[in-house]
C-alpha cells in the first residue's frame, strides 16, 4: 500500500487498482471497473484536493501515481513549448486552448453561457463573461485580461503580453496564439528563465478525480444512476470547484453529464481523444469538424472579439481508424497474420 521513504514514487496497490479501473473501462468490463475503483477508495489513502489548481501538481492527497523531474534531469520543455508571447524569444504558443473547450465550461451557478453573441459576423465589442465561468476555467486557460506572471494578458493583435496570430499566417507561432488563449494548466508561473533552465513540473499520471469518474461511468453502465451521480457530484461540489450538485439524471442525460465532467475535470490530461475513440463518438463528432478561436483586436471601445476558423479545412476521423492498421513490416515478417478488414 505504501513504500518507505527511500522507495517513494514506486507503484503502489492504489496505483494498480486505479489503473485497473481505467483499463476495465476500455475493455467494457463495467463491474470490474467499479470493483477496482472501490478498492482504491477502500484503502482510505487518497482525497480530493480543495484547490483544483493543485490537483495535477503532485505531492498531494489526490495523486496516486506521478512522475517527478529534476533540474539536472530527467526534465522537460513544457514551459518553453507553451510559453506566452514575450516570455522567450521566438518560442512558445505550441498548443493553445480552442474556443470549443472554452465554451464547454459552465458558469459558476451551473448554467451554460450563451455564446451566440460572440459568433456574429464582424465580431462584437462586448467582453466575454470569462469571470463568470467556474473556477476550473481560470485554472486551465490564460485568457485576454487574465493575470499571468503578474502581467495583465493581451492575447490580441499587436499585444505586448500575449499576441494573436492568424492561423497559417506564419510558419511557427513564436509565442503567439492562434485561438486567443494560452494554456495555463501545467505551466510553472515561477519559472521565468526559460533559456537557462528546463522544466521540472510533476506529471500526475492518475489521480483520484479520474477514479471517481471511472466509477461514475461504470455505475452508469451498470444502471446505477444514483451511484454515478454521487461520484460526479463529489467532483463538482468540492471546495475548489463549487458547482451545484446534479440530480434526477438517467440514461442519455446522465451519460452527457459524465462526458462533461471528464472533459472539464481532466482537460489536457490526455483522456478526451481516447474517450471519444472508445465511446465510438469520434467518427461522428470529430469528422467534418473544425475548431475555432477568438481573434481579439484593440478597439476604441476596448477590444473587438471575432469568432474565427482555426482549421481552414474540415478535420477527418474515418470510422476505420477506430482500428489501428498492422504495419506492413509486421505483415511482411509474419505470413500467418493478415491485415484488419478495415485496412485491406
Amino acid at each position: 500500500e505504501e513504500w518507505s521513504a527511500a522507495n517513494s514514487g514506486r507503484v503502489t496497490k492504489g496505483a494498480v487498482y486505479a489503473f485497473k479501473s481505467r483499463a476495465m473501462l476500455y475493455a467494457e468490463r463495467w463491474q470490474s471497473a467499479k470493483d477496482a475503483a472501490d478498492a482504491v477508495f477502500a484503502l482510505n489513502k487518497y482525497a480530493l484536493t480543495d484547490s483544483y489548481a493543485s490537483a495535477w501538481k503532485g505531492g498531494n492527497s489526490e495523486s496516486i501515481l506521478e512522475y517527478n523531474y529534476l533540474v539536472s534531469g530527467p526534465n522537460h520543455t513544457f514551459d518553453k513549448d507553451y510559453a506566452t508571447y514575450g516570455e522567450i524569444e521566438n518560442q512558445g504558443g505550441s498548443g493553445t486552448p480552442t474556443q470549443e473547450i472554452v465554451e464547454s465550461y459552465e458558469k459558476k451557478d451551473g448554467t451554460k453561457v450563451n455564446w451566440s453573441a460572440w459568433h456574429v459576423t464582424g465580431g462584437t465589442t462586448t467582453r466575454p463573461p470569462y469571470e463568470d465561468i467556474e473556477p476550473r476555467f481560470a485554472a486551465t486557460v490564460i485568457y485576454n485580461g487574465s493575470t499571468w506572471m503578474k502581467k495583465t494578458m493581451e492575447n490580441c493583435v499587436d499585444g505586448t503580453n500575449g499576441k494573436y496570430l492568424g492561423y497559417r499566417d506564419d510558419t511557427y507561432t513564436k509565442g503567439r496564439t492562434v485561438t486567443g488563449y494560452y494554456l495555463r494548466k501545467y505551466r510553472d508561473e515561477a519559472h521565468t528563465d526559460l533559456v537557462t533552465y528546463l522544466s521540472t513540473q510533476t506529471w500526475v499520471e492518475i489521480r483520484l478525480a479520474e477514479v471517481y469518474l471511472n466509477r461514475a461511468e461504470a455505475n452508469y453502465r451498470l444502471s446505477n444512476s444514483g451511484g454515478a451521480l454521487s461520484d460526479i457530484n463529489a467532483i463538482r461540489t468540492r471546495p475548489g470547484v463549487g458547482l451545484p450538485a446534479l440530480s434526477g439524471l438517467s440514461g442519455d442525460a446522465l451519460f452527457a453529464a459524465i462526458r462533461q465532467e471528464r472533459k472539464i475535470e481532466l482537460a489536457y490530461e490526455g483522456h478526451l481523444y481516447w474517450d471519444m475513440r472508445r465511446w465510438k463518438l469520434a467518427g461522428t463528432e470529430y469528422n467534418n469538424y473544425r475548431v475555432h478561436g477568438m481573434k481579439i483586436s484593440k478597439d476604441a471601445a476596448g477590444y473587438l472579439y471575432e469568432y474565427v476558423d482555426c482549421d481552414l479545412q474540415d478535420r477527418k476521423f474515418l470510422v476505420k481508424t477506430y482500428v489501428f492498421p498492422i504495419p506492413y513490416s509486421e505483415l511482411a515478417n509474419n505470413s500467418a497474420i493478415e491485415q484488419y478488414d478495415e485496412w485491406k
Side-chain angles (χ1 to χ4, degrees), residues 155-294:
N155 302 347
C156 61
V157 177
D158 297 326
T160 300
N161 304 324
K163 181 176 286 190
Y164 175 81
L165 170 72
Y167 182 60
R168 292 186 182 172
D169 284 354
D170 198 352
T171 307
Y172 300 103
T173 55
K174 301 175 185 175
R176 295 163 292 184
T177 170
V178 299
T179 64
Y181 305 99
Y182 290 99
L183 186 61
R184 189 183 195 109
K185 197 172 189 178
Y186 303 120
R187 292 290 318 278
D188 180 359
E189 197 167 3
H191 185 187
T192 56
D193 186 350
L194 305 185
V195 176
T196 307
Y197 301 104
L198 294 177
S199 299
T200 59
Q201 293 95 305
T202 297
W203 173 261
V204 178
E205 175 55 35
I206 194 162
R207 59 189 179 92
L208 192 64
E210 183 197 337
V211 179
Y212 268 110
L213 292 169
N214 292 347
R215 189 170 68 176
E217 184 175 346
N219 274 321
Y220 160 72
R221 303 290 184 180
L222 295 167
S223 299
N224 181 5
S225 298
L229 279 170
S230 178
D231 285 333
I232 293 173
N233 287 332
I235 301 295
R236 291 174 58 87
T237 63
R238 73 187 190 277
V241 177
L243 285 171
L246 301 176
S247 62
L249 299 182
S250 61
D252 291 344
L254 178 55
F255 181 55
I258 292 169
R259 285 184 58 185
Q260 167 72 8
E261 287 306 311
R262 288 188 69 90
K263 182 178 185 178
I264 296 303
E265 175 67 27
L266 305 177
Y268 303 104
E269 296 183 34
H271 293 278
L272 180 59
Y273 172 77
W274 299 101
D275 282 343
M276 293 295 283
R277 286 183 65 96
R278 68 184 177 84
W279 290 330
K280 297 297 187 291
L281 294 173
T284 52
E285 295 191 22
Y286 287 170
N287 195 36
N288 296 321
Y289 165 77
R290 298 188 186 191
V291 300
H292 299 81
M294 197 70 76

Side-chain angles (χ1 to χ4, degrees), residues 20-321:
K20 186 176 181 181
S21 76
R22 180 192 293 180
M24 293 300 97
L25 286 188
Y26 279 78
E28 299 184 356
R29 300 178 184 177
W30 314 122
Q31 188 63 53
S32 294
K34 180 183 182 303
D35 291 345
D38 286 341
V40 174
F41 290 105
L43 294 171
N44 290 317
K45 286 188 172 293
Y46 311 101
L48 295 173
T49 62
D50 287 343
S51 167
Y52 177 73
S54 299
W56 62 83
K57 293 184 178 180
N60 57 42
S61 64
E62 192 163 332
S63 177
I64 298 176
L65 182 66
E66 62 185 51
Y67 297 95
N68 301 129
Y69 299 89
L70 302 168
V71 172
S72 57
N75 43 42
H76 54 87
T77 61
F78 202 94
D79 287 305
K80 184 183 295 185
D81 295 339
Y82 294 88
T84 64
Y85 183 78
E87 288 185 58
I88 183 169
E89 186 175 1
N90 291 330
Q91 295 187 59
S94 294
T96 55
T98 63
Q99 187 64 28
E100 277 71 17
I101 187 68
V102 172
E103 294 184 14
S104 295
Y105 286 88
E106 298 172 49
K107 295 171 69 174
K108 294 173 183 176
D109 63 4
T111 61
K112 283 285 190 179
V113 176
N114 181 356
W115 287 93
S116 59
W118 289 271
H119 291 190
V120 296
T121 302
T124 177
T125 57
T126 302
R127 176 176 166 77
Y130 296 132
E131 287 72 25
D132 294 339
I133 300 175
E134 56 122 321
R136 290 179 291 187
F137 167 70
T140 304
V141 178
I142 298 172
Y143 55 91
N144 191 56
S146 64
T147 301
W148 174 250
M149 292 188 172
K150 300 180 181 180
K151 301 177 294 187
T152 299
M153 296 304 296
E154 301 174 303
N155 302 347
C156 61
V157 177
D158 297 326
T160 300
N161 304 324
K163 181 176 286 190
Y164 175 81
L165 170 72
Y167 182 60
R168 292 186 182 172
D169 284 354
D170 198 352
T171 307
Y172 300 103
T173 55
K174 301 175 185 175
R176 295 163 292 184
T177 170
V178 299
T179 64
Y181 305 99
Y182 290 99
L183 186 61
R184 189 183 195 109
K185 197 172 189 178
Y186 303 120
R187 292 290 318 278
D188 180 359
E189 197 167 3
H191 185 187
T192 56
D193 186 350
L194 305 185
V195 176
T196 307
Y197 301 104
L198 294 177
S199 299
T200 59
Q201 293 95 305
T202 297
W203 173 261
V204 178
E205 175 55 35
I206 194 162
R207 59 189 179 92
L208 192 64
E210 183 197 337
V211 179
Y212 268 110
L213 292 169
N214 292 347
R215 189 170 68 176
E217 184 175 346
N219 274 321
Y220 160 72
R221 303 290 184 180
L222 295 167
S223 299
N224 181 5
S225 298
L229 279 170
S230 178
D231 285 333
I232 293 173
N233 287 332
I235 301 295
R236 291 174 58 87
T237 63
R238 73 187 190 277
V241 177
L243 285 171
L246 301 176
S247 62
L249 299 182
S250 61
D252 291 344
L254 178 55
F255 181 55
I258 292 169
R259 285 184 58 185
Q260 167 72 8
E261 287 306 311
R262 288 188 69 90
K263 182 178 185 178
I264 296 303
E265 175 67 27
L266 305 177
Y268 303 104
E269 296 183 34
H271 293 278
L272 180 59
Y273 172 77
W274 299 101
D275 282 343
M276 293 295 283
R277 286 183 65 96
R278 68 184 177 84
W279 290 330
K280 297 297 187 291
L281 294 173
T284 52
E285 295 191 22
Y286 287 170
N287 195 36
N288 296 321
Y289 165 77
R290 298 188 186 191
V291 300
H292 299 81
M294 197 70 76
K295 177 183 178 181
I296 306 170
S297 308
K298 292 182 179 179
D299 181 89
Y303 290 100
L304 176 68
Y305 295 86
E306 297 178 83
Y307 184 72
V308 292
D309 181 350
C310 292
D311 278 329
L312 306 184
Q313 65 185 45
D314 290 345
R315 298 184 178 204
K316 299 293 181 184
F317 190 106
L318 304 180
V319 171
K320 72 176 185 178
T321 53

